[in-house]
Amino acid sequence: MIEAVELTKSFGAITAVRGVSFQVRRGEAVGFLGPNGAGKTTTFRMLSGTLAPHSGSVRVLGADLFESPLEAKRQLGYMAENAPMYPELTGTHYLHYRAELRGIPRAERAQAVRQAAARAGATEILGQIIGQLSKGYRQRLALSDALLGDPPVLLLDEPTAGLDPNQVLETRRLIRELSADHAIILSTHVLSEVEATCQRAIVIDRGRIVAQGSLDELKRHRGHERGRVQVRGDTQQLEAALQNMNQHGLDARLEATDQISTLEFELLAPGSLTEGVQVCLQAGLQLVQAGTLTAPLDEVFARLTQEHQP
Amino acid sequence: MSGCWAIFKREVQSTWLTPLAWILLTTFLLIQGGVFYSIVVHMSQVEGGVSGTGPIQAYFGQQSLLMALSLLLLCPALTMRSIAEERRSGSIEALLSAPVTSAAIVVGKYLGSLLTYCLMWLPTLLYFATLRETGTLHLATILSGYVGVFMVGAGYLGIGILMSTLAKSQFVALLLTSTFIFSLFILGIGEYIFDSAALRAVCGYVSLTSTLEETAQGIIDSRRLIFYFSLTIWALFVSGRVMDSWRAPA
């Protein structure tokens, strides 16, 4: 539904985004993750057609964003970071103006504004002047703007920033609902938000994509999924097994007790416990239980964005 | 040009919702009222009247230095916010992500400032209503005078939009537009300075004072119309291209 191909953007000598490519299909919400300054907002601005890339292309439902911008942009709902709007207008005036810009026919405009505001929980603030709204309400109004005319592709840059906990939950619920029949890209550095709303995540660091896939795939990414075996045996056997695992490069840790001891180690291939179990058996340990542990997403994120540092 | 009408309406609405337009209107009318009042008082005190001219011609033409100064104040101030402020506040992002062309944005903003400019001139019609009480009015001369200020204003507002596109701060946009207009004004003075006939002709062609003096006499020269029309089109075209360069690769 929306496809970015080799997007690259430099600001002077600094390359903010380099060779970013991905696809998001209808029916999925994708988290766009990265530390501050990773290139998330720059990528979003290129995806929304507000910033020219130096190279690369974006296609929205088959329409090239830079060659047929009007056709492509009609399919896009974009909520910019910090939701800049016109402070002198009321919510209703602003949304009517935006609906007209989006080419929604006059007869359908009032209905489109009502629907979008209701979905984003902004109905009660429509009559208020934007300059007097709190940040949370401005965010809701900006979300209503992105939802105007129900575009099939939604680009949401930090949609829950500044919202209170109840509003955050409501917005996440809305994103989950919308993801059933939309393609959504959600930029955030709140990892729990991605876990609560997205099926997939793209991790960007220093302008490059360092990982992408389903949340389970990311957690199972080499080094982010660990094997865990529980064994019975004496200290000598346990020490031998630990040493052997580390010689195989499995980065093992031992938690020894009188009864059942636990060995945790890195998996050489996703889902493969074989090496660790074999080492334990060779050391004469009695196997009680074996399984895998997935790391929490924040740990995966930290490793992914730190391991690519120079 | 879809979206142009929406941008035009918002531009006019936002201009009149902020104090800027009202402050400008008040200042502009104080200057214009003062000029007109002094012309009428002066002419009424000269016995037998001032030969070869009347208050309308004097207002639109012979006092064109004052007119130039008020245009130098008004046009840059009317356009300085239009795009520069959107860039400063970040609302330009929402505008550029909408399915509207750069041409529609630029033309919508330009027409919005042109309408506001015309609305600022509207109360000056009352000056001529007061003259009607004391004599007969030559409507064609009044109309021609207004064509002059419209033509010049249209060109200068075009320059203002261009500078507002180039600058990120409205203050810089104001300075750039004022400098550009002032340079044209100074160039116009060259009509009386240079020895070369060709240079004098060029300076006369762009001269603000000569333009206003001519239209005040009821002369509408197509060359001047073409000059201000092409100045406007050039400025708007460049503004559109600049905006295109922000959002699509060259």
Side-chain angles (χ1 to χ4, degrees):
Chain A
M1 238 185 177
I2 180 165
E3 182 185 14
V5 181
E6 289 294 319
L7 281 180
T8 298
K9 176 74 185 173
S10 304
F11 296 103
I14 299 163
T15 307
V17 172
R18 54 186 91 196
V20 164
S21 301
F22 59 85
Q23 263 187 13
V24 179
R25 287 177 290 272
R26 181 194 288 268
E28 62 176 356
V30 173
F32 203 66
L33 291 166
N36 290 332
K40 298 193 297 286
T41 295
T42 304
T43 307
F44 257 57
R45 291 176 64 201
M46 289 190 281
L47 291 176
S48 63
T50 61
L51 183 70
H54 280 120
S55 61
S57 64
V58 176
R59 295 183 78 79
V60 187
L61 276 88
D64 189 293
L65 185 61
F66 306 117
E67 281 169 16
S68 322
L70 300 191
E71 198 186 327
K73 284 176 183 175
R74 278 191 200 101
Q75 316 296 333
L76 275 176
Y78 173 48
M79 178 182 171
E81 191 186 12
N82 296 327
M85 286 176 277
Y86 304 117
E88 69 278 7
L89 299 185
T90 64
T92 307
H93 277 132
Y94 181 71
L95 290 182
H96 271 269
Y97 161 67
R98 296 291 301 167
E100 194 173 350
L101 278 189
R102 292 196 66 86
I104 297 171
R106 178 193 285 265
E108 296 164 26
R109 241 173 261 160
Q111 172 75 359
V113 166
R114 271 198 303 274
Q115 271 178 355
R119 274 191 131 170
T123 307
E124 75 266 33
I125 48 152
L126 285 182
Q128 292 184 35
I129 291 170
I130 293 172
Q132 294 172 352
L133 291 175
S134 68
K135 189 177 180 205
Y137 280 133
R138 280 211 308 276
Q139 290 283 103
R140 288 193 193 199
L141 204 56
L143 185 58
S144 315
D145 174 13
L147 297 175
L148 275 173
D150 199 19
V153 179
L154 294 170
L155 304 172
L156 310 176
D157 198 354
E158 308 269 358
T160 57
L163 299 185
D164 68 39
N166 290 335
Q167 293 169 342
V168 168
L169 291 178
E170 274 175 42
T171 308
R172 288 178 183 174
R173 184 187 48 74
L174 174 66
I175 294 170
R176 276 197 303 274
E177 257 176 50
L178 290 167
S179 69
D181 54 354
H182 292 75
I184 302 177
I185 309 180
L186 175 87
S187 161
T188 182
H189 49 243
V190 182
L191 299 164
S192 57
E193 190 147 292
V194 175
E195 291 194 292
T197 53
C198 300
Q199 294 86 41
R200 217 151 56 82
I202 296 166
V203 184
I204 181 171
D205 187 34
R206 289 160 195 269
R208 286 182 191 280
I209 291 181
V210 291
Q212 60 175 317
S214 72
L215 297 186
D216 286 340
E217 278 167 1
L218 283 184
K219 289 175 185 174
R220 284 203 303 266
H221 190 272
R222 179 175 146 70
H224 307 137
E225 190 184 41
R226 292 177 69 82
R228 187 169 192 261
V229 287
Q230 292 187 311
V231 288
R232 274 203 188 94
D234 58 35
T235 316
Q236 210 176 354
Q237 288 169 323
L238 286 168
E239 288 293 338
L242 181 69
Q243 204 177 356
N244 206 352
M245 278 185 183
N246 285 333
Q247 277 169 2
H248 280 80
L250 296 182
D251 183 26
R253 268 176 285 178
L254 171 67
E255 197 184 309
T257 62
D258 291 344
Q259 295 292 315
I260 296 173
S261 300
T262 305
L263 275 155
E264 266 185 43
F265 54 94
E266 196 171 298
L267 298 181
L268 291 180
S272 166
L273 280 166
T274 323
E275 293 83 2
V277 172
Q278 272 176 355
V279 169
C280 290
L281 294 176
Q282 281 165 9
L285 292 165
Q286 188 187 349
L287 190 68
V288 178
Q289 202 176 28
T292 54
L293 289 173
T294 49
L297 193 58
D298 52 357
E299 200 175 303
V300 176
F301 176 79
R303 285 207 203 181
L304 281 170
T305 53
Q306 281 162 16
E307 72 188 19
H308 290 84
Q309 284 188 9
Chain B
M1 292 293 270
S2 102
C4 183
W5 176 240
I7 291 164
F8 163 77
K9 281 188 298 183
R10 194 207 76 80
E11 191 69 12
V12 175
Q13 192 181 28
S14 283
T15 304
W16 292 98
L17 278 175
T18 52
L20 178 74
W22 299 98
I23 293 169
L24 281 177
L25 180 68
T26 310
T27 316
F28 177 71
L29 289 180
L30 277 174
I31 295 173
Q32 296 305 318
V35 170
F36 189 75
Y37 175 79
S38 61
I39 290 170
V40 173
V41 167
H42 170 70
M43 288 195 169
S44 63
Q45 284 169 350
V46 177
E47 276 187 34
V50 180
S51 64
T53 190
I56 301 168
Q57 288 87 344
Y59 176 63
F60 282 120
Q62 279 122 21
Q63 298 293 331
S64 56
L65 192 62
L66 283 168
M67 188 71 86
L69 287 175
S70 56
L71 292 182
L72 198 68
L73 166 93
L74 186 64
C75 296
L78 277 179
T79 50
M80 64 180 182
R81 282 170 58 88
S82 66
I83 294 164
E85 179 60 15
E86 297 242 20
R87 290 180 76 194
R88 191 203 57 78
S89 73
S91 56
I92 192 83
E93 251 189 274
L95 192 55
L96 295 179
S97 69
V100 282
T101 58
S102 300
I105 297 173
V106 167
V107 172
K109 296 227 166 235
Y110 171 73
L111 292 178
S113 60
L114 188 60
L115 178 67
T116 304
Y117 174 79
C118 293
L119 289 174
M120 294 222 167
W121 278 100
L122 197 63
T124 62
L125 283 172
L126 288 171
Y127 304 165
F128 305 107
T130 59
L131 282 185
R132 236 179 119 183
E133 299 296 313
T134 54
T136 44
L137 284 180
H138 196 235
L139 287 176
T141 312
I142 295 175
L143 186 68
S144 166
Y146 277 114
V147 167
V149 290
F150 176 80
M151 178 166 82
V152 172
Y156 290 177
L157 290 172
I159 296 299
I161 293 285
L162 172 60
M163 298 308 167
S164 188
T165 311
L166 295 173
K168 254 188 179 173
S169 130
Q170 46 177 314
F171 181 67
V172 175
L174 178 90
L175 284 182
L176 287 173
T177 313
S178 302
T179 308
F180 194 103
I181 297 177
F182 192 67
S183 305
L184 279 182
F185 175 71
I186 296 291
L187 193 63
I189 295 175
E191 189 182 3
Y192 308 104
I193 295 171
F194 292 120
D195 292 332
S196 150
L199 269 178
R200 279 206 309 275
V202 170
C203 293
Y205 193 53
V206 301
S207 170
L208 171 66
T209 45
S210 300
T211 305
L212 292 176
E213 272 177 39
E214 261 182 31
T215 52
Q217 301 298 325
I219 305 162
I220 296 173
D221 187 338
S222 58
R223 285 175 306 175
R224 298 202 189 277
L225 275 175
I226 290 167
F227 171 68
Y228 284 104
F229 182 71
S230 34
L231 184 70
T232 310
I233 297 296
W234 170 79
L236 298 186
F237 175 76
V238 177
S239 305
R241 297 298 296 163
V242 169
M243 206 172 276
D244 279 339
S245 74
W246 297 338
R247 54 181 181 171

